[in-house]
């Protein structure tokens, strides 16, 4: 048994020495004040990935967000009576299609699941799509990453009896609200 454990440990060490593993993610905070009312939103999304070769990687992003505000289509902000929490899991395949010295342009093909709600109501969302992005390699170990929008499909449904699904086709590549930034550490 000891020999088997030592062999497995040696294989794991050898694999990680040659592996191109990266960790990183995004963090966000938003606060809005109007007429004496204030509302806020917080997001954290750590990410772990593995480069299969110089153009192809697989990864997973886990997310958590909490907000006590809602914004309608006209941009009006309203404070919610109860905070809404969201947990998400997003596995993806990343293809880097253009490389210029320290700048890489990529697209993430993803599948996603999110559970959003509070004690009153929960909504589950499944989705798939493509998200374009750019990575700026600051050095061999640190990359700054930006992703803008997505092209995809999602289906959301409340967990109450008789709920009907809301299906969405999303083509949001121009909205600054769909822009997010992250920092990756490459090992």
């Amino acid at each position: 048994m000891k020999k088997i454990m030592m062999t497995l440990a040696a294989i794991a060490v050898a694999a990680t020495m040659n592996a191109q593993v990266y960790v990183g993610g995004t963090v966000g905070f938003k606060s809005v004040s109007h007429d004496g009312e204030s509302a806020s939103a917080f997001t954290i999304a750590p990410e772990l990935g593995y480069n299969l070769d110089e153009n192809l990687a697989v990864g997973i992003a886990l997310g958590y967000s909490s907000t006590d505000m809602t914004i309608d289509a006209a941009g009006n902000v309203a404070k919610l009576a109860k905070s809404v929490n969201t947990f998400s899991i997003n596995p993806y395949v990343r293809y880097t299609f253009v490389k210029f010295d320290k700048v890489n342009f990529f697209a993430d093909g993803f599948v996603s699941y999110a559970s959003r709600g509070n004690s009153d109501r929960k909504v589950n969302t499944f989705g798939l799509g493509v998200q374009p992005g750019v990575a700026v390699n600051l050095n061999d170990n640190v990359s700054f990453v930006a992703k803008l929008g997505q092209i995809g499909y999602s289906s959301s449904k409340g967990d109450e009896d008789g709920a009907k699904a809301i299906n969405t086709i999303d083509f949001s590549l121009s909205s600054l609200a769909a822009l997010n930034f992250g920092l990756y550490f490459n090992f």
Side-chain angles (χ1 to χ4, degrees):
M1 183 67 160
K2 188 174 184 179
K3 287 181 184 180
I4 293 172
M5 294 303 285
M6 292 301 288
T7 303
L8 290 175
I11 290 170
V13 168
T16 57
M17 285 174 55
N18 294 325
Q20 294 294 319
V21 175
Y22 59 90
V23 296
T26 59
V27 176
F29 178 75
K30 181 177 185 175
S31 179
V32 178
S33 292
H34 181 67
D35 288 338
E37 283 287 325
S38 65
S40 61
F42 169 76
T43 301
I44 184 167
E47 193 170 322
L48 173 67
Y50 181 81
N51 292 311
L52 300 171
D53 63 29
E54 75 176 44
N55 294 329
L56 194 62
V58 293
I60 188 165
L62 304 173
Y64 170 77
S65 67
S66 181
T67 185
D68 62 355
M69 69 176 144
T70 184
I71 302 173
D72 66 16
N76 299 314
V77 177
K79 186 167 176 92
L80 299 172
K82 292 184 179 179
S83 291
V84 174
N85 299 309
T86 304
F87 298 95
S88 63
I89 182 167
N90 302 304
Y92 64 86
V93 174
R94 175 171 294 165
Y95 179 70
T96 302
F97 54 89
V98 176
K99 292 185 176 193
F100 296 110
D101 193 24
K102 295 188 178 286
V103 179
N104 301 333
F105 292 92
F106 63 86
D108 288 349
F110 66 87
V111 176
S112 65
Y113 168 75
S115 176
R116 178 181 75 244
N118 55 32
S119 59
D120 294 337
R121 183 169 191 257
K122 296 219 184 303
V123 176
N124 295 308
T125 302
F126 295 92
L128 56 97
V130 176
Q131 185 173 41
V134 61
V136 178
N137 302 313
L138 303 175
N139 59 41
D140 288 342
N141 295 14
V142 179
S143 299
F144 175 76
V145 176
K147 298 177 187 175
L148 177 61
Q150 70 180 20
I151 300 168
Y153 166 81
S154 65
S155 180
S156 300
K157 186 175 179 182
D159 66 353
E160 65 271 358
D161 290 336
K164 299 205 186 271
I166 298 172
N167 300 309
T168 305
I169 294 175
D170 189 7
F171 188 80
S172 60
L173 297 178
S174 62
S175 170
L176 286 178
L179 178 65
N180 63 58
F181 299 102
L183 199 59
Y184 289 14
F185 298 95
N186 305 294
F187 299 97

